[in-house]
């Protein structure tokens, strides 16, 4: 076999579902590990389902995730154009070839006529059993067909499927899938109304012309595969037919059935990589990026939905995945979408992430909340606080107090920790810590305060808890002297003074 060439071929009908991202990822891993190429093709022949912005959204999502294409829409290459709506001339030739060879025919039946047939015949299917009752080039005289076509009457071109033939789809994941051709209807391959082929024809013509060697796609396309195999036969392209691999579905986290956007809404997790604003409905759907996920975590999590390396290794970089991934080891059974596991991955990746990058993300959230947070301090804060979050977006709410001094003090904490003698002790502590200069010397400062406690015979808890309460407003935050090192001398004293004026 020559060079491996695979493609990701979404239709721009809306946001890219997380299952589509996994499909693209598996294509990418397979291409990379075989030194092959990944093509980005846009399948936009169904103009009625076209959604503006969807193509850009898909591209931006995959870029964010670090999935790189070698050629295709907006990347260029020798097999273009890669947007199907720009390939009309090419498809026209192949439609003609099928008509000339008798593997397809022209049909004029209107929507109303088809509807009438459906009412007349139970389980109507346009196929060998019914096609001779319809208005098509098999039943009408040739000169009449020509006249109708020439006069601009709308028609479609249908595949002529011979009944009772065995079709075998060789699938890398599922093995040989046998299908009887009688269950397939004479699928529409081309519509004169918009001078475009349907998905089936465009898909296989392009896979052939773009020299695609492996078709890795979602299970929902398995029912189309027998027709695709037949089309390869019709064209005489059996020798270069790509190998198929139909990936199992992503399933609901709870219960059965395919993961849907509604599950995400219901259980509170995104099903799209990026936030999506539906231009038709105006609805806004959350995305992994905006919810505070790191792309590396999303990749790692998705890779393991439907495949595993055969041991219990879980944390894998893109390079690890490229080495370890095996298409033939993908599971046939659907994979439950374990959202909590996704969060776990993200937490792991946050601990490994560049602190400056995390700080920059937190600064953005601060800005949205109207606070200008400076980078140096944000990096310090992230360093001490990152172990407490699963999502980057949790950082700002957790860390706001580093920038915004408390104005009020948690009543419960005060009731518990602010005793009659506390005000006096804290006033003493205030003058004691004012004498200390180097707040960045965490250990030195801590030893200094503890020594004073020992000297005074003050219990550590009786000092540290109110001390924290004064600086944070409640009993939370990092270790005490990490806290003071970030706040610095001036701010620590300022907060103490304010607290002493408020708490008696
Ligand atoms: N355009 C199809 C989709 O939206 C592609 C199916 C395939 O990969 O053959 O998923």
């Amino acid at each position: 076999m020559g060079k491996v060439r695979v493609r990701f071929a979404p239709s721009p009908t809306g946001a890219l579902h997380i299952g589509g991202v996994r499909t693209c990822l598996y294509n990418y891993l397979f291409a990379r590990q075989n030194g092959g190429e990944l093509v980005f093709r846009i399948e936009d022949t169904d103009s009625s389902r076209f959604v503006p912005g969807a193509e850009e959204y898909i591209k931006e999502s995959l870029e964010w995730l670090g999935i790189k294409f070698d050629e295709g829409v907006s990347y260029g290459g020798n097999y273009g154009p890669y947007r199907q709506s720009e390939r009309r001339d090419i498809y026209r030739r192949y439609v003609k070839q099928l008509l000339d060879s008798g593997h397809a025919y022209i049909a004029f039946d209107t929507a109303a006529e088809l509807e009438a047939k459906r009412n007349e015949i139970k389980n109507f299917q346009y196929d060998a059993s019914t096609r001779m009752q319809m208005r098509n080039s098999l039943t009408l005289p040739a000169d009449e067909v020509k006249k109708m076509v020439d006069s601009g009457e709308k028609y479609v071109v249908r595949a002529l499927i011979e009944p009772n033939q065995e079709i075998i789809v060789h699938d890398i994941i599922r093995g040989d899938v046998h299908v009887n051709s009688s269950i397939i209807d004479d699928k529409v391959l081309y519509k004169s109304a918009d001078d475009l082929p349907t998905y089936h024809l465009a898909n296989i013509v392009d896979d052939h012309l773009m020299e695609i060697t492996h078709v890795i796609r979602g299970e929902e396309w398995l029912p189309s595969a027998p027709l695709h195999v037949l089309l390869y036969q019709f064209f005489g392209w059996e020798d270069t037919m790509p190998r198929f691999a139909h990936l199992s579905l992503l399933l609901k986290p709870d219960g059965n059935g395919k993961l849907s956007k509604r599950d995400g809404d219901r259980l509170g997790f995104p099903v799209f990589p990026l936030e999506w604003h539906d231009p038709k409905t105006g609805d806004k759907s959350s995305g992994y990026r905006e919810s505070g996920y790191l792309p590396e975590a999303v990749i790692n999590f998705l890779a393991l939905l439907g495949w595993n390396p055969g041991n219990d290794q879980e944390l894998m970089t893109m390079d690890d995945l490229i080495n370890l991934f095996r298409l033939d080891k993908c599971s046939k059974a659907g994979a439950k979408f374990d959202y909590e596991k996704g969060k776990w991955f993200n937490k792991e990746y946050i601990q490994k992430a560049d602190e400056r990058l995390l700080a920059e993300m937190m600064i953005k959230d601060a800005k949205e909340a109207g606070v200008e947070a400076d980078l140096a301090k944000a990096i310090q804060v992230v360093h001490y606080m990152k172990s407490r979050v699963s999502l980057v977006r949790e950082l700002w709410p957790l860390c706001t107090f580093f920038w915004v001094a408390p104005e009020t003090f948690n009543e419960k904490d005060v009731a518990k920790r602010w005793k009659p003698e506390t005000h006096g002790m804290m006033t003493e502590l205030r003058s004691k810590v004012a004498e200390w200069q180097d707040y960045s010397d965490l250990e030195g400062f801590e030893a200094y305060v503890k020594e004073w406690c020992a000297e005074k015979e003050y219990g550590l808890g009786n000092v540290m808890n109110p001390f924290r309460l004064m600086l944070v407003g409640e009993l939370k935050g990092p270790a005490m002297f990490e806290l003071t090192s970030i706040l610095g001398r001036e701010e620590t004293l300022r907060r103490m003074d304010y607290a002493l004026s408020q708490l008696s």
Side-chain angles (χ1 to χ4, degrees):
M1 193 177 57
K3 189 170 218 168
V4 163
R5 284 177 56 84
V6 292
R7 84 297 195 269
F8 183 58
S11 299
T13 55
L16 178 62
H17 189 274
I18 199 76
V21 176
R22 186 197 54 170
T23 299
C24 189
L25 172 64
Y26 283 11
N27 273 285
Y28 174 75
L29 297 176
F30 186 73
R32 280 289 171 278
Q33 71 181 194
N34 287 291
E37 282 150 2
L38 172 60
V39 178
F40 183 44
R41 184 169 79 216
I42 290 290
E43 302 208 324
D44 58 348
T45 57
D46 187 352
S47 53
S48 68
R49 297 186 61 214
F50 177 81
V51 173
E55 180 185 312
E56 295 71 19
Y57 174 94
I58 295 168
K59 196 172 161 259
E60 193 185 340
S61 300
L62 298 170
E63 275 168 5
W64 176 64
L65 288 161
I67 296 176
K68 296 185 191 74
F69 290 97
D70 300 291
E71 62 181 72
V73 171
S74 86
Y75 301 98
N78 297 327
Y79 298 80
Y82 292 93
R83 204 180 272 115
Q84 290 186 329
S85 58
E86 294 166 13
R87 296 171 65 81
R88 283 189 159 82
D89 294 344
I90 298 169
Y91 303 127
R92 247 182 247 129
R93 286 206 306 271
Y94 291 96
V95 172
K96 183 166 182 314
Q97 188 179 326
L98 289 181
L99 287 170
D100 290 348
S101 63
H103 287 300
Y105 59 93
I106 292 175
F108 297 100
D109 319 87
T110 61
E113 285 164 347
L114 289 168
E115 184 55 31
K117 268 290 174 222
R118 266 183 225 115
N119 292 332
E120 179 191 324
I121 304 174
K122 210 173 145 221
N123 298 327
F124 170 79
Q125 176 166 284
Y126 206 125
D127 63 12
S129 70
T130 57
R131 65 170 82 103
M132 297 313 283
Q133 309 169 28
M134 309 299 289
R135 266 190 340 120
N136 55 46
S137 57
L138 304 171
T139 58
L140 297 166
D143 55 341
E144 199 176 318
V145 170
K146 185 171 181 326
K147 230 193 277 158
M148 288 162 81
V149 169
D150 289 347
S151 72
E153 187 158 331
K154 298 278 177 281
Y155 65 90
V156 299
V157 172
R158 289 182 179 271
L160 189 113
I161 310 286
E162 299 286 356
N164 271 317
Q165 281 182 304
E166 173 161 79
I167 308 168
I168 305 176
V169 180
H170 301 289
D171 189 293
I172 294 170
I173 299 171
R174 285 150 212 279
D176 287 355
V177 180
H178 296 253
V179 176
N180 186 302
S181 65
S182 299
I183 67 161
I184 307 175
D185 63 336
D186 288 355
K187 279 268 168 353
V188 172
L189 301 178
Y190 170 86
K191 293 179 184 167
S192 74
D194 34 36
D195 185 26
L196 273 173
T198 58
Y199 155 72
H200 302 290
L201 186 83
N203 187 267
I204 78 119
V205 164
D206 286 352
D207 283 348
H208 174 72
L209 295 179
M210 295 177 186
E211 298 185 40
I212 298 302
T213 58
H214 296 77
V215 167
I216 305 168
R217 62 184 172 191
E219 186 175 56
E220 63 274 30
W221 302 101
L222 184 58
S224 305
L227 174 69
H228 294 185
V229 170
L230 280 183
L231 288 172
Y232 277 99
Q233 290 170 7
F234 290 173
F235 283 117
W237 295 337
E238 294 97 321
D239 292 349
T240 56
M241 183 161 76
R243 305 278 316 274
F244 290 103
H246 289 94
L247 306 171
S248 60
L249 289 176
L250 294 186
L251 304 174
K252 295 180 190 309
D254 53 348
N256 299 318
K258 194 178 161 200
L259 174 73
S260 71
K261 182 170 136 33
R262 234 173 296 135
D263 298 315
D265 295 341
R266 182 169 59 86
L267 300 166
F269 61 83
V271 296
F272 298 136
L274 314 181
E275 196 168 87
W276 167 247
H277 301 252
D278 191 315
K280 280 186 182 155
T281 61
D283 285 353
K284 198 170 95 176
S285 307
S286 65
Y288 278 86
R289 182 178 64 184
E290 292 74 12
S291 302
Y293 280 81
L294 297 172
E296 297 83 0
V298 177
I299 289 291
N300 196 157
F301 167 52
L302 281 182
L304 288 168
L305 291 174
W307 168 82
N308 68 68
N311 54 30
D312 40 20
Q313 185 179 357
E314 290 192 297
L315 292 172
M316 283 169 271
T317 63
M318 192 70 107
D319 284 339
D320 297 335
L321 292 168
I322 290 169
N323 284 325
L324 296 167
F325 178 72
R326 288 276 303 276
L327 191 54
D328 58 351
K329 290 277 185 277
C330 287
S331 117
K332 263 182 267 195
K336 263 203 197 319
F337 193 79
D338 184 351
Y339 174 66
E340 288 306 323
K341 189 76 193 189
K343 263 184 155 170
W344 176 84
F345 274 107
N346 205 54
K347 191 173 172 71
E348 293 293 318
Y349 277 87
I350 285 176
Q351 308 325 308
K352 295 198 238 183
D354 178 18
E355 290 178 347
R356 183 192 176 104
L357 189 95
L358 296 174
E360 282 166 352
M361 293 198 257
M362 183 177 72
I363 287 172
K364 258 200 214 147
D365 290 343
K367 207 181 185 100
E368 252 174 57
V371 177
E372 288 295 329
D374 52 302
L375 185 63
K377 180 168 165 185
I379 293 174
Q380 247 189 316
V381 167
V382 160
H383 178 73
Y384 292 122
M385 301 299 279
K386 65 180 181 180
S387 66
R388 298 159 190 240
V389 299
S390 301
L391 302 173
V392 182
R393 291 222 75 163
E394 291 167 355
L395 278 171
W396 175 247
L398 188 71
C399 301
T400 310
F401 68 85
F402 286 105
W403 281 270
V404 182
E407 283 176 10
T408 57
F409 299 87
N410 182 289
E411 279 176 28
K412 266 194 203 146
D413 292 340
V414 171
K416 202 161 136 210
R417 293 297 184 180
W418 201 270
K419 298 178 181 153
E421 67 276 19
T422 304
H423 199 275
M425 281 163 76
M426 290 301 112
T427 309
E428 282 177 57
L429 179 65
R430 197 259 176 233
S431 49
K432 193 70 193 164
V433 301
E435 282 164 26
W436 184 265
Q437 294 301 323
D438 186 4
Y439 276 56
S440 65
D441 174 9
L442 274 64
E443 279 150 37
F445 192 21
E446 178 167 3
Y448 169 78
V449 173
K450 283 186 172 166
E451 205 176 294
W452 170 75
C453 291
E455 215 172 84
K456 290 282 188 173
E457 295 183 1
Y458 291 154
L460 267 188
N462 292 339
V463 173
M464 295 306 177
N465 285 306
F467 190 14
R468 174 182 299 280
L469 194 52
M470 290 195 292
L471 301 187
V472 181
E474 56 186 312
L475 294 173
K476 67 165 197 191
M480 196 60 223
F481 295 91
E482 290 171 3
L483 175 59
T484 51
S485 80
I486 296 171
L487 291 180
R489 184 170 178 277
E490 215 177 298
E491 180 66 9
T492 298
L493 295 175
R494 217 183 53 74
R495 291 191 185 190
M496 290 182 90
D497 289 340
Y498 175 75
L500 288 169
S501 75
Q502 299 295 307
L503 301 164
S504 48

